[in-house]
Amino acid sequence: MLIGVVKEDDPRVALVPEVIKKLEDEKNEVCVENNAGDSVFFHDIHFQQAQARVDNRANVLKDSDILVTLKPLAEADLKQLKKGAVYISMFEPYAGNGLVSDSLAKYPISTFSLDMIPRITLGQSMDVLSSMASIAGYKAVIVAANLLPRYFPMLTTAAGTIPPAKVLILGAGVAGLQAVATAKRLGAVVEVFDTRTAVKEEVKSLGAKFVEVEGAKDDKDAGGYAVEQTEEFKTKQADLIKERAVQSDVVITTAQLRGKPAPKLLTREAVNEMKEGSIIVDLAASTGGNCELTQNGKTIVEYGVTIIGNSELHTSAPIHASQLYSKNIYNFLKVMIKDGELNLDMENEILKSTCLTLEGQVKYNTN
Ligand code: NAD
C-alpha cells in the first residue's frame, strides 16, 4: 500500500515522520513530496530517515494507493490520482452547497472525509475536529491575553491590588473547555454558556461558573452536536449573554451548529456596551461568527473592542496540529488497511459515515 503526502498551502503537514515510521514498519510504503514538511521543521532528510520516499508532486499523486491531505486538492491534482485510489481529507461536505460529493464523483477514486467521523467512542482516536479544536481553544486565550491591555491573574503588589480578568466563554465543546482550562491556568475568573447542560459538570470541574439559560432544546439525538434553539430561548440567552459580556474583559466564542450558520450570540448592542479595550475571539467566524460584528479572517475594532474573527487558530501551532492530525489519520488508516491490503468494508460504521464517493459513485450528499 503506497500512502502519499503532498505539500499544501497550509503550515501543517498531513503525516509526520514518527507516524510514517510506524506505517513503514507495518509493511506500507510512504511517499512524501519534496519540502512538504519544511514549515514544521520536518525536512526531507527526516522523512527519508523514517523510510519514506521523497519525490516530486506529480509522482506522489500518480503513485499513491491512498493519498492523505489536510485540505481538499485542486482539480488539477485530483486528475492525476490513479484509478481506484483512496483519497482522505477534510472536505466539509455538510458546510458547502451539497456539491462536494458530486464534484469528487467525476474521478474514479474513493474519497473519505475525516470531518465526518461519527462522535462514537470508536471514533475518538480519529477525530480531527477535536484535535484541531483543542489547539484553537488554547490559542484563543493566549491571543486574547496578549492583546488585552490588562493582566489576567489577580496580583497583590506594593502598588495595590490588580483584580483578575473576567473571561466569558460561549460554547463548552472541545475548544471551549480547552479555553476554560487555559484561562483558569492564567488566573482569570471564567464564566461559560452552553445549550448542552451535559457540559455543566465539566465546566464546574475546571473551576469555572456555568451560566444557565432555562428551556434549551434537547440535543440528545443529534449525535453529539448542538441543535438550533427556539426564538424565545434565543432572546433569553442573548439578554443574559449581554449582561455577562459587559462585565467581561474577554469573550471567546466557539458555538457551532453543524451544516448551519453559527448561532448569533453576541449582538452589536452588547459589544457597544462592553468595556473599551476588551477582546472578543470568535472561533466560529468561518460559519458566520457568534458575534454580529465578526468579520472572518479579520481583526477589527468596534466601540473600542477588538474583535478577532479566526477559525484557523489551530494552524498557529502547526507542529502539534500536524502530530495530532497524523495520529488521527494513522488510526483511521488502521480501519481500512488489513494485512497491508486495502479493505474497504462498507459495513464498518466509521467508513460508512465518512465515505463521500466509492469508486466514482456518490455515497454521501447533503441534498
Ligand atoms: P461543536 O464545535 O459542534 O460546538 C461547540 C459548542 O458550542 C458545543 O458545546 C455546543 O453545544 C455549543 N453551542 C452550540 N450552539 C450554542 C448556543 N446557541 N449557545 C451556546 N452554546 C452553543 O462542538 P465540539 O466541541 O466539536 O463537541 C461537542 C461535544 O461532542 C463535546 O462534548 C465533545 O466532547 C463531543 N465529541 C465527542 C466525540 C466522540 O465521542 N468521538 C467527538 C467529538 C466531539
Side-chain angles (χ1 to χ4, degrees):
M1 211 42 28
L2 191 115
I3 302 162
V5 176
V6 287
K7 184 168 174 60
E8 299 190 51
D9 184 17
D10 191 290
R12 298 166 293 172
V13 65
L15 286 178
V16 298
E18 182 198 343
V19 170
I20 289 175
K21 175 84 177 56
K22 278 169 77 155
L23 288 166
E24 291 275 350
D25 289 347
E26 290 164 17
K27 302 195 171 33
N28 302 291
E29 289 172 72
V30 181
C31 187
V32 182
E33 183 181 348
N34 311 87
N35 307 320
D38 281 354
S39 54
V40 272
F41 314 107
F42 294 126
H43 301 297
D44 291 352
I45 179 75
H46 301 119
F47 290 109
Q48 281 158 342
Q49 282 164 353
Q51 318 294 323
R53 182 177 113 205
V54 174
D55 210 331
N56 63 47
R57 187 177 189 90
N59 284 342
V60 176
L61 292 171
K62 109 177 145 45
D63 291 348
S64 294
D65 298 307
I66 302 178
L67 188 83
V68 290
T69 65
L70 294 137
K71 292 182 173 160
L73 289 174
E75 294 236 353
D77 286 330
L78 277 171
K79 277 186 199 150
Q80 298 179 56
L81 296 179
K82 70 177 171 195
K83 187 168 184 284
V86 167
Y87 174 32
I88 302 166
S89 189
M90 288 175 74
F91 295 100
E92 298 187 17
Y94 45 82
N97 49 13
L99 299 175
V100 175
S101 302
D102 288 348
S103 58
L104 289 169
K106 286 191 279 183
Y107 305 95
I109 59 171
S110 299
T111 52
F112 292 84
S113 195
L114 285 172
D115 41 22
M116 300 289 290
I117 299 267
R119 288 179 165 179
I120 54 174
T121 309
L122 255 180
Q124 272 175 359
S125 64
M126 313 163 199
D127 188 358
V128 288
L129 290 180
S130 293
S131 297
M132 299 305 120
S134 177
I135 298 177
Y138 162 79
K139 278 285 187 163
V141 175
I142 303 297
V143 166
N146 192 31
L147 285 179
L148 187 71
R150 301 168 186 272
Y151 265 124
F152 253 46
M154 187 181 99
L155 285 180
T156 306
T157 78
T161 299
I162 307 274
K166 288 188 180 153
V167 176
L168 175 66
I169 295 173
L170 305 181
V174 179
L177 289 175
Q178 188 56 253
V180 175
T182 307
K184 285 298 295 178
R185 271 184 232 127
L186 286 179
V189 170
V190 184
E191 288 187 332
V192 181
F193 269 94
D194 200 300
T195 44
R196 293 181 306 120
T197 42
V199 294
K200 189 171 166 179
E201 290 312 313
E202 287 175 79
V203 166
K204 285 211 238 159
S205 73
L206 288 169
K209 184 176 165 199
F210 188 76
V211 187
E212 206 162 340
V213 185
E214 305 265 295
K217 237 197 305 186
D218 195 359
D219 56 20
K220 70 176 184 335
D221 297 326
Y225 291 95
V227 292
E228 202 166 1
Q229 298 296 325
T230 61
E231 287 309 315
E232 188 195 348
F233 179 88
K234 284 190 207 167
T235 311
K236 255 204 284 184
Q237 190 189 30
D239 289 346
L240 199 51
I241 287 175
K242 180 178 150 201
E243 185 193 304
R244 305 316 308 156
V246 299
Q247 305 286 328
S248 306
D249 301 296
V250 170
V251 183
I252 292 173
T253 77
T254 75
Q256 306 258 26
L257 295 168
R258 183 153 126 142
K260 294 194 177 139
K264 288 278 179 277
L265 304 175
L266 207 52
T267 58
R268 172 182 281 277
E269 201 190 338
V271 178
N272 186 16
E273 288 184 33
M274 283 174 69
K275 280 179 277 186
E276 285 191 77
S278 301
I279 312 288
I280 298 169
V281 184
D282 195 337
L283 296 183
S286 65
T287 53
N290 294 138
C291 172
E292 260 176 23
L293 304 178
T294 296
Q295 290 185 31
N296 188 26
K298 291 198 176 144
T299 297
I300 56 169
V301 181
E302 291 270 0
Y303 309 112
V305 177
T306 301
I307 306 167
I308 302 160
N310 193 339
S311 298
E312 297 284 315
L313 273 178
H314 51 274
T315 62
S316 65
I319 294 182
H320 285 144
S322 303
Q323 276 176 359
L324 295 173
Y325 193 85
S326 295
K327 280 277 174 63
N328 292 145
I329 290 198
Y330 174 78
N331 291 324
F332 185 72
L333 289 175
K334 281 207 294 198
V335 181
M336 60 166 66
I337 302 175
K338 290 274 170 309
D339 304 321
E341 297 292 324
L342 193 63
N343 176 32
L344 296 182
D345 169 12
M346 295 314 293
E347 292 306 308
N348 180 292
E349 197 176 349
I350 303 279
L351 295 185
K352 207 161 56 179
S353 306
T354 50
C355 183
L356 299 188
T357 62
L358 193 63
E359 292 175 2
Q361 301 292 313
V362 171
K363 288 286 162 190
Y364 170 88
N365 216 322
T366 47
N367 283 331

